[in-house]
Amino acid sequence: MRSIIDVSDLSLDELNELIKTACDIIENPKKYGEICRGKKLATLFFEPSTRTRLSFEAAMYELGGNVIGFSAAGNSSAAKGESVADTAKTVSCYADIIAMRHPKEGAALVAANNASVPVINAGDGGHCHPTQTLADLLTIHREKGGFSNLTIGLCGDLKFGRTVHSLINAMSRYKGNSFVLISPEELKLPSYVKKDVLAKRSIRYRQTTDLEGTMPELDILYMTRVQRERFFNEEDYLRLKDSYILTPKKLTNAKKDLCIMHPLPRVNEISVAIDDDPRACYFKQVLNGKYMRMALMLKLLKEAGTL
Ligand code: NCD
């Protein structure tokens, strides 16, 4: 059974195909409104979520299907000590496809290995978040017209930010991209991502603590939240949480066609004064996420023979 744990589970051709489907859904939503009639998505969310869970659910409703699930670990038998493996086996009896978010790295893989329906990783701890990357890719496609020759700045919590890990994994597969990794010393990109992704693919990157000095060269600026829930102590979080706050003044030397992205939720990393700037793309990412999740569920259900 095909599951999606990270974005590298999809080939470049498949990513293109998903973008094509999403664009077709945007153009012809009616064509897709009944395709999943009688099918069920289970959303198993062991961690808080607004966009990811609701966009998966909206996506399934817009395909004509139904949704079951839970939105907190405390509402499930996990609170009684049930394993992820048993939960996955159980839910496979009720649903045609599963979207799961869990605080532990690797939990989605365990679920996939035990489920008899496709499992989509909706975030596993500080590891990866492939469907946010699909939302990001559609946004980049629509804003930049392609995925190559871009200078991409990633700013904030690059250590625990799973959206960053998956986006680097995806964008480093396209030609001519380079990365500027902007973070405090303590929140630098994990060495496994540098080694297994950036070094392995001979991708140009540099690490810096300086956001403003980097601004003029960027085509994309991907801001992120400091991931409070992954810190071992509150003191470190409080010290680091305001490391980077993007304000209109800091954009003075930015390119006119800079694409400002953020997976959201935003705490204070981007001043609300930027929301009306035409370069702000973070609410476009939200909408694009729904279309890409529709495209991904359609693909996996077809491959599973369910559709
Ligand atoms: C992100 C996540 O859950 O990793 N949110 C999301 O899904 N859009 C980013 C975050 O929580 O900071």
Side-chain angles (χ1 to χ4, degrees), residues 51-52 101 129 132 162-163 225 227 263-265:
R51 274 150 294 273
T52 306
R101 167 171 290 188
H129 192 350
Q132 178 61 47
R162 54 194 174 196
T163 61
R225 172 180 73 90
Q227 307 277 299
L264 304 179

Side-chain angles (χ1 to χ4, degrees), residues 49-89:
S49 168
T50 297
R51 274 150 294 273
T52 306
R53 184 172 64 84
L54 296 186
S55 72
F56 262 112
E57 298 191 357
M60 184 47 96
Y61 283 122
E62 288 188 27
L63 292 168
N66 296 301
V67 179
I68 56 173
F70 52 82
S71 58
N75 295 338
S76 77
S77 283
K80 301 178 184 172
E82 186 168 57
S83 67
V84 166
D86 284 359
T87 302
K89 283 182 187 157

Side-chain angles (χ1 to χ4, degrees), residues 9 23 40 56 65 77 146 174 220 233 250 264 267 275 281 292:
D9 293 330
C23 290
K40 271 173 281 167
F56 262 112
S77 283
Y174 296 94
I220 293 172
N233 67 69
K250 290 189 185 153
L264 304 179
V267 181
D275 294 1
C281 294
M292 286 302 267

Side-chain angles (χ1 to χ4, degrees), residues 237-274:
Y237 169 73
L238 293 174
R239 186 167 48 81
L240 293 168
K241 74 182 173 67
D242 296 330
S243 298
Y244 300 99
I245 299 176
L246 188 64
T247 57
K249 191 164 161 272
K250 290 189 185 153
L251 287 172
T252 314
N253 294 319
K255 288 189 181 170
K256 294 282 163 277
D257 63 348
L258 172 70
C259 178
I260 305 168
M261 302 176 71
H262 191 307
L264 304 179
R266 149 176 71 182
V267 181
N268 61 354
E269 306 79 43
I270 302 180
S271 144
V272 290
I274 291 177

